[in-house]
Amino acid sequence: METNNKRPVARSPWPILALLAIGLLISFVDRTSLSSALADKSFVQEFALTSVERGWLNSAFFWTYGLMQMPMGWIVDRYGVKWPYTICFVAWCAAATLTGMVTALSALILMRLIIGAAEAVVIPASYRWIGSNFDESQKGLAVGLFTMGGKFGPAIGAPIAAWIIVNYSWQFMFVATGLVGLLWLGPWLLMVRNDFPSKAELAVNKQKASSVTVGNLLSSPVVWGGMINNFCYGYFTFYCMTWMPAYLVEQRGLSLSSSGLYTFVSFAGIAIVATLAGWGADRVIARGHDAVKVRKAFIIAGFIGGSSVLFGVYATSLEAALFWNVLSLSLLGLVTANNLALCKLTLIPKQAIGLNTGVQQVATSLAGGISASVSGWLLHTSGNYNLPMMVIFVILLIGAASTLILLQRKWAPKVADEEPAAKTTEAIA
């Protein structure tokens, strides 16, 4: 039998979870740094961008990101997490760096497409690892801590990107953020065990993964409910990532530097609430309450709380507008960890976590692309940001309804056949 030169599994999964969260943070810095550039007049003039073109440029990342989600989920279910993640990480950091060197709009779009394709590995790989290393009573906190990377990415990235642009240039900002991210590779390569399977292990992995097919997943109302939820949640958060700096500068009159600060506060708010909500749901579940009912209650409350963004539309003062802007996104944090834990871990067979995550991330990616481009079109046709934010209000209410109706244990995906995997395992042993 072939043997692998593997490092021992870490006694505690938390240090690796921290690395995964930092990796997610870096991915969001690299994907959202463009939003600060799009609020910079020199960048817009360099490429002669209209509002519609800004929307399409914001959305370019999400098309390849969505297209590659299922292939990446398929890969990590069969070939492990460490090396697929490593290869893709290097690719997106390189493309992010090169973004600062392009001089044509077509090249700029190409870099965004490459970043989107490479970053598609992050979520399927991370949830595959979390699902294999944490118990149900730990998953809410684990997912909450992990998703902090996705919230602090734009929270930290926006003010830093704005500061670099103001003090240096948009070109230097892309180069700097792309290169600095590569520092993460050292700890990742040293701490994470080599989980690339031997031929025998690969056969077992394939057998386990094939026990839940794409057809099984797509026949489940739970999977569709998760996709709807991910789309509704992602529509609002990606709007904030791609258009918030421009909204604060153009409609509310803030400076680019101040817009970065308020973007930080908003995303810091959702990150903190997400972690506390995940931990709180875990504690309730640990006391014997049903995990599905508990997490659904948090999710519905979060979607309804997030819909308070509509109050910001009609705010007559800058202070009130900023208050509702921050509060609505922060309250959406009640959804974050509990929705992800429920739709990607709790109600999903372990052997299909990667594939299911890839399927559901397609909806998230569509949300990003549609939110960025549709918001740009609505801004162009209406002349202000009120109509884009009213659309967000409706979409968040749809998310609450989807949670209530579709996320039920009886509709979870079914395992097609577990016996062959078990027999193969015994034969190898």
Side-chain angles (χ1 to χ4, degrees):
M1 180 186 296
E2 254 184 54
T3 60
N4 276 345
N5 181 23
K6 294 183 178 180
R7 292 183 177 86
V9 178
R11 293 182 180 179
S12 171
W14 299 102
I16 307 301
L17 179 70
L19 273 181
L20 291 171
I22 295 170
L24 182 64
L25 183 152
I26 294 169
S27 75
F28 270 85
V29 168
D30 288 334
R31 79 178 65 170
T32 59
S33 57
L34 179 66
S35 63
S36 293
L38 287 172
D40 177 49
K41 290 182 179 178
S42 65
F43 180 84
V44 173
Q45 291 170 358
E46 175 79 18
F47 295 98
L49 299 172
T50 66
S51 293
V52 173
E53 288 170 335
R54 284 195 292 168
W56 281 110
L57 186 55
N58 260 327
S59 70
F61 164 91
F62 296 102
W63 302 125
T64 49
Y65 184 72
L67 183 65
M68 292 302 295
Q69 288 294 324
M70 287 179 61
M72 289 298 183
W74 186 93
I75 287 170
V76 299
D77 278 340
R78 289 159 175 77
Y79 297 100
V81 170
K82 181 175 182 176
W83 291 110
Y85 200 131
T86 300
I87 293 167
C88 291
F89 186 90
V90 172
W92 95 59
C93 285
T97 302
L98 291 172
T99 302
M101 305 176 188
V102 302
T103 57
L105 179 59
S106 58
L108 185 61
I109 292 173
L110 176 61
M111 291 303 105
R112 298 299 295 175
L113 294 173
I114 292 173
I115 294 172
E119 286 194 7
V121 76
V122 175
I123 299 299
S126 298
Y127 280 95
R128 177 70 182 176
W129 196 91
I130 292 170
S132 300
N133 290 276
F134 287 95
D135 296 328
E136 180 61 46
S137 62
Q138 298 176 314
K139 286 176 181 176
L141 178 59
V143 171
L145 290 172
F146 168 69
T147 57
M148 286 184 76
K151 304 304 177 288
F152 276 106
I156 294 171
I160 290 177
W163 183 86
I164 295 175
I165 291 171
V166 169
N167 290 277
Y168 297 94
S169 68
W170 64 265
Q171 292 95 335
F172 183 75
M173 181 272 292
F174 284 118
V175 173
T177 53
L179 290 178
V180 169
L182 290 171
L183 295 174
W184 176 89
L185 275 177
W188 173 259
L189 293 173
L190 289 172
M191 293 174 61
V192 180
R193 72 180 181 91
N194 178 14
D195 58 347
F196 190 84
S198 65
K199 288 183 179 179
E201 292 168 328
L202 181 59
V204 174
N205 287 355
K206 287 181 177 179
Q207 189 68 57
K208 287 181 177 179
S210 64
S211 66
V212 181
T213 65
V214 174
N216 293 139
L217 294 177
L218 294 181
S219 66
S220 166
V222 163
V223 173
W224 285 100
M227 292 175 72
I228 293 170
N229 281 15
N230 288 338
F231 180 90
C232 296
Y233 176 91
Y235 192 96
F236 186 19
T237 55
F238 285 124
Y239 167 84
C240 293
M241 290 177 197
T242 55
W243 282 105
M244 184 187 292
Y247 160 72
L248 294 174
V249 170
E250 296 171 4
Q251 185 154 320
R252 293 299 177 178
L254 294 180
S255 66
L256 181 57
S257 297
S258 296
S259 74
L261 175 61
Y262 279 101
T263 301
F264 168 82
V265 173
S266 297
F267 280 99
I270 190 175
I272 293 168
V273 172
T275 303
L276 292 176
W279 176 82
D282 285 350
R283 300 284 63 76
V284 176
I285 293 167
R287 293 189 181 98
H289 295 276
D290 182 72
V292 175
K293 291 180 180 179
V294 171
R295 298 203 192 280
K296 283 178 66 171
F298 275 87
I299 295 167
I300 293 170
F303 275 127
I304 293 174
S307 67
S308 63
V309 68
L310 191 63
F311 293 118
V313 174
Y314 298 105
T316 56
S317 68
L318 174 61
E319 292 75 15
L322 292 174
F323 171 80
W324 290 112
N325 198 62
V326 172
L327 181 65
S328 61
L329 190 59
S330 297
L331 290 176
L332 192 68
L334 295 170
V335 175
T336 310
N338 289 292
N339 180 64
L340 295 172
L342 185 60
C343 298
K344 296 182 179 179
L345 300 175
T346 302
L347 292 174
I348 304 300
K350 279 188 176 182
Q351 55 267 55
I353 288 175
L355 180 60
N356 171 72
T357 300
V359 170
Q360 294 198 20
Q361 282 301 110
V362 172
T364 304
S365 305
L366 286 174
I370 292 172
S371 176
S373 55
V374 169
S375 296
W377 178 76
L378 292 173
L379 171 62
H380 177 75
T381 56
S382 67
N384 59 54
Y385 289 84
N386 292 359
L387 189 55
M389 294 173 75
M390 292 177 70
V391 171
I392 290 169
F393 170 79
V394 174
I395 285 176
L396 292 178
L397 294 184
I398 292 173
S402 166
T403 303
L404 181 65
I405 297 169
L406 296 176
L407 299 187
Q408 300 187 42
R409 197 183 296 277
K410 64 182 180 180
W411 288 333
K414 301 298 187 292
V415 176
D417 183 12
E418 290 186 301
E419 289 303 315
K423 291 178 180 178
T424 305
T425 305
E426 291 173 7
I428 293 173

CSV table of all heavy atoms in Angstrom, one decimal, residues 13-14 129-143 278 282-283 285-286 291 295 341 345-346 350:
chain,number,residue,atom,x,y,z
A,13,PRO,N,-8.3,21.9,16.8
A,13,PRO,CA,-8.6,22.4,15.4
A,13,PRO,C,-8.6,23.9,15.4
A,13,PRO,O,-8.6,24.5,14.3
A,13,PRO,CB,-10.0,21.8,15.1
A,13,PRO,CG,-10.6,21.7,16.5
A,13,PRO,CD,-9.5,21.3,17.4
A,14,TRP,N,-8.6,24.6,16.5
A,14,TRP,CA,-8.8,26.0,16.5
A,14,TRP,C,-7.6,26.8,15.8
A,14,TRP,O,-7.9,27.8,15.1
A,14,TRP,CB,-9.0,26.5,18.0
A,14,TRP,CG,-10.2,25.9,18.6
A,14,TRP,CD1,-10.2,24.9,19.5
A,14,TRP,CD2,-11.6,26.3,18.4
A,14,TRP,NE1,-11.5,24.6,19.8
A,14,TRP,CE2,-12.4,25.4,19.2
A,14,TRP,CE3,-12.2,27.2,17.5
A,14,TRP,CZ2,-13.7,25.5,19.2
A,14,TRP,CZ3,-13.6,27.3,17.6
A,14,TRP,CH2,-14.3,26.5,18.4
A,129,TRP,N,-13.2,21.3,5.8
A,129,TRP,CA,-12.4,21.1,6.9
A,129,TRP,C,-13.1,21.3,8.2
A,129,TRP,O,-13.0,20.5,9.2
A,129,TRP,CB,-11.2,22.1,6.9
A,129,TRP,CG,-10.1,21.7,7.8
A,129,TRP,CD1,-9.0,20.9,7.5
A,129,TRP,CD2,-9.9,22.1,9.2
A,129,TRP,NE1,-8.2,20.8,8.6
A,129,TRP,CE2,-8.7,21.5,9.6
A,129,TRP,CE3,-10.7,22.8,10.0
A,129,TRP,CZ2,-8.3,21.6,10.9
A,129,TRP,CZ3,-10.3,23.0,11.3
A,129,TRP,CH2,-9.1,22.3,11.8
A,130,ILE,N,-13.9,22.3,8.3
A,130,ILE,CA,-14.7,22.6,9.6
A,130,ILE,C,-15.7,21.4,9.8
A,130,ILE,O,-15.8,20.9,11.0
A,130,ILE,CB,-15.5,23.9,9.5
A,130,ILE,CG1,-14.5,25.1,9.4
A,130,ILE,CG2,-16.5,24.1,10.6
A,130,ILE,CD1,-15.1,26.4,9.1
A,131,GLY,N,-16.4,21.0,8.8
A,131,GLY,CA,-17.3,19.9,9.0
A,131,GLY,C,-16.7,18.6,9.5
A,131,GLY,O,-17.3,17.8,10.1
A,132,SER,N,-15.4,18.4,9.1
A,132,SER,CA,-14.7,17.2,9.5
A,132,SER,C,-14.0,17.3,10.9
A,132,SER,O,-13.6,16.3,11.4
A,132,SER,CB,-13.6,16.8,8.5
A,132,SER,OG,-14.2,16.6,7.2
A,133,ASN,N,-14.0,18.5,11.5
A,133,ASN,CA,-13.2,18.7,12.7
A,133,ASN,C,-13.9,19.3,13.9
A,133,ASN,O,-13.3,19.5,14.9
A,133,ASN,CB,-11.9,19.5,12.3
A,133,ASN,CG,-10.9,18.8,11.5
A,133,ASN,OD1,-10.1,18.0,12.0
A,133,ASN,ND2,-11.1,19.0,10.2
A,134,PHE,N,-15.2,19.6,13.7
A,134,PHE,CA,-15.9,20.2,14.8
A,134,PHE,C,-17.3,19.5,15.0
A,134,PHE,O,-17.9,19.1,14.1
A,134,PHE,CB,-16.2,21.7,14.5
A,134,PHE,CG,-15.0,22.6,14.6
A,134,PHE,CD1,-14.3,22.9,13.5
A,134,PHE,CD2,-14.6,23.1,15.9
A,134,PHE,CE1,-13.1,23.7,13.6
A,134,PHE,CE2,-13.5,23.9,16.0
A,134,PHE,CZ,-12.7,24.2,14.8
A,135,ASP,N,-17.7,19.4,16.3
A,135,ASP,CA,-18.9,18.8,16.7
A,135,ASP,C,-20.1,19.8,16.5
A,135,ASP,O,-19.8,21.0,16.3
A,135,ASP,CB,-18.9,18.4,18.2
A,135,ASP,CG,-17.9,17.3,18.4
A,135,ASP,OD1,-17.7,16.4,17.5
A,135,ASP,OD2,-17.3,17.2,19.5
A,136,GLU,N,-21.3,19.3,16.5
A,136,GLU,CA,-22.5,20.2,16.3
A,136,GLU,C,-22.5,21.3,17.3
A,136,GLU,O,-22.8,22.5,16.9
A,136,GLU,CB,-23.8,19.3,16.4
A,136,GLU,CG,-25.0,20.2,16.1
A,136,GLU,CD,-25.1,20.8,14.7
A,136,GLU,OE1,-24.8,20.1,13.7
A,136,GLU,OE2,-25.4,22.0,14.6
A,137,SER,N,-22.2,21.1,18.5
A,137,SER,CA,-22.3,22.1,19.5
A,137,SER,C,-21.1,23.1,19.4
A,137,SER,O,-21.1,24.1,20.2
A,137,SER,CB,-22.3,21.5,20.9
A,137,SER,OG,-21.1,20.8,21.2
A,138,GLN,N,-20.2,22.9,18.5
A,138,GLN,CA,-19.1,23.8,18.3
A,138,GLN,C,-19.2,24.5,16.9
A,138,GLN,O,-18.5,25.5,16.7
A,138,GLN,CB,-17.8,23.1,18.3
A,138,GLN,CG,-17.4,22.4,19.6
A,138,GLN,CD,-16.1,21.6,19.5
A,138,GLN,OE1,-15.9,20.9,18.5
A,138,GLN,NE2,-15.3,21.8,20.5
A,139,LYS,N,-20.1,24.0,16.1
A,139,LYS,CA,-20.1,24.5,14.7
A,139,LYS,C,-20.5,26.0,14.6
A,139,LYS,O,-20.0,26.7,13.7
A,139,LYS,CB,-21.0,23.6,13.8
A,139,LYS,CG,-20.4,22.3,13.5
A,139,LYS,CD,-21.4,21.4,12.8
A,139,LYS,CE,-20.8,20.0,12.5
A,139,LYS,NZ,-21.8,19.1,11.8
A,140,GLY,N,-21.5,26.4,15.4
A,140,GLY,CA,-21.9,27.8,15.3
A,140,GLY,C,-20.8,28.8,15.6
A,140,GLY,O,-20.5,29.7,14.9
A,141,LEU,N,-20.1,28.5,16.7
A,141,LEU,CA,-18.9,29.4,17.1
A,141,LEU,C,-17.8,29.2,16.0
A,141,LEU,O,-17.2,30.3,15.6
A,141,LEU,CB,-18.4,29.0,18.4
A,141,LEU,CG,-17.2,29.8,18.9
A,141,LEU,CD1,-17.5,31.2,19.0
A,141,LEU,CD2,-16.7,29.2,20.3
A,142,ALA,N,-17.5,28.0,15.6
A,142,ALA,CA,-16.5,27.8,14.6
A,142,ALA,C,-16.8,28.6,13.3
A,142,ALA,O,-15.9,29.3,12.8
A,142,ALA,CB,-16.3,26.3,14.3
A,143,VAL,N,-18.0,28.5,12.8
A,143,VAL,CA,-18.4,29.2,11.6
A,143,VAL,C,-18.4,30.7,11.8
A,143,VAL,O,-18.0,31.5,11.0
A,143,VAL,CB,-19.7,28.7,11.1
A,143,VAL,CG1,-20.2,29.5,9.9
A,143,VAL,CG2,-19.7,27.2,10.6
A,278,GLY,N,-23.5,32.9,16.6
A,278,GLY,CA,-23.1,31.5,16.5
A,278,GLY,C,-22.9,30.9,17.8
A,278,GLY,O,-23.3,29.8,18.1
A,282,ASP,N,-25.1,27.9,19.7
A,282,ASP,CA,-24.4,26.7,20.2
A,282,ASP,C,-24.7,26.4,21.7
A,282,ASP,O,-24.9,25.2,22.0
A,282,ASP,CB,-22.9,26.9,20.1
A,282,ASP,CG,-22.4,26.7,18.7
A,282,ASP,OD1,-23.1,26.3,17.8
A,282,ASP,OD2,-21.2,27.0,18.4
A,283,ARG,N,-24.8,27.4,22.5
A,283,ARG,CA,-25.1,27.2,23.9
A,283,ARG,C,-26.5,26.7,24.1
A,283,ARG,O,-26.7,25.9,25.0
A,283,ARG,CB,-24.8,28.6,24.7
A,283,ARG,CG,-23.4,29.1,24.6
A,283,ARG,CD,-22.4,28.3,25.5
A,283,ARG,NE,-22.2,27.0,25.1
A,283,ARG,CZ,-21.5,26.5,24.1
A,283,ARG,NH1,-20.9,27.4,23.3
A,283,ARG,NH2,-21.3,25.2,23.9
A,285,ILE,N,-28.2,25.1,21.9
A,285,ILE,CA,-28.3,23.7,21.4
A,285,ILE,C,-27.6,22.7,22.4
A,285,ILE,O,-28.1,21.6,22.6
A,285,ILE,CB,-27.5,23.6,20.0
A,285,ILE,CG1,-28.3,24.4,19.0
A,285,ILE,CG2,-27.3,22.2,19.6
A,285,ILE,CD1,-27.6,24.7,17.7
A,286,ALA,N,-26.5,23.1,23.0
A,286,ALA,CA,-25.9,22.3,24.0
A,286,ALA,C,-26.8,22.0,25.2
A,286,ALA,O,-26.6,21.0,25.9
A,286,ALA,CB,-24.6,23.0,24.5
A,291,ALA,N,-31.3,21.8,17.1
A,291,ALA,CA,-30.4,22.6,16.4
A,291,ALA,C,-31.0,23.4,15.2
A,291,ALA,O,-30.8,24.6,15.0
A,291,ALA,CB,-29.2,21.8,15.9
A,295,ARG,N,-31.3,27.5,15.1
A,295,ARG,CA,-30.6,28.3,14.1
A,295,ARG,C,-31.6,29.0,13.2
A,295,ARG,O,-31.3,30.1,12.8
A,295,ARG,CB,-29.7,27.4,13.3
A,295,ARG,CG,-28.6,26.8,14.2
A,295,ARG,CD,-27.4,26.3,13.4
A,295,ARG,NE,-26.5,25.5,14.2
A,295,ARG,CZ,-25.6,25.9,15.1
A,295,ARG,NH1,-25.5,27.2,15.3
A,295,ARG,NH2,-24.8,25.1,15.7
A,341,ALA,N,-24.0,27.3,9.2
A,341,ALA,CA,-23.9,26.1,9.9
A,341,ALA,C,-25.1,25.1,9.6
A,341,ALA,O,-24.9,23.9,9.4
A,341,ALA,CB,-23.9,26.3,11.4
A,345,LEU,N,-23.7,22.5,6.9
A,345,LEU,CA,-23.1,21.5,7.8
A,345,LEU,C,-24.2,20.6,8.5
A,345,LEU,O,-24.3,19.4,8.3
A,345,LEU,CB,-22.2,22.1,8.9
A,345,LEU,CG,-21.0,22.9,8.4
A,345,LEU,CD1,-20.3,23.6,9.6
A,345,LEU,CD2,-20.0,22.1,7.6
A,346,THR,N,-25.1,21.2,9.3
A,346,THR,CA,-26.0,20.5,10.1
A,346,THR,C,-27.0,19.6,9.3
A,346,THR,O,-27.2,18.4,9.6
A,346,THR,CB,-26.9,21.5,10.9
A,346,THR,OG1,-26.0,22.2,11.8
A,346,THR,CG2,-27.9,20.7,11.8
A,350,LYS,N,-21.9,14.5,5.7
A,350,LYS,CA,-20.5,14.9,5.7
A,350,LYS,C,-19.8,14.7,4.4
A,350,LYS,O,-18.9,15.5,4.0
A,350,LYS,CB,-19.8,14.2,6.9
A,350,LYS,CG,-20.0,14.8,8.2
A,350,LYS,CD,-19.1,14.2,9.3
A,350,LYS,CE,-19.2,14.9,10.6
A,350,LYS,NZ,-18.3,14.3,11.6
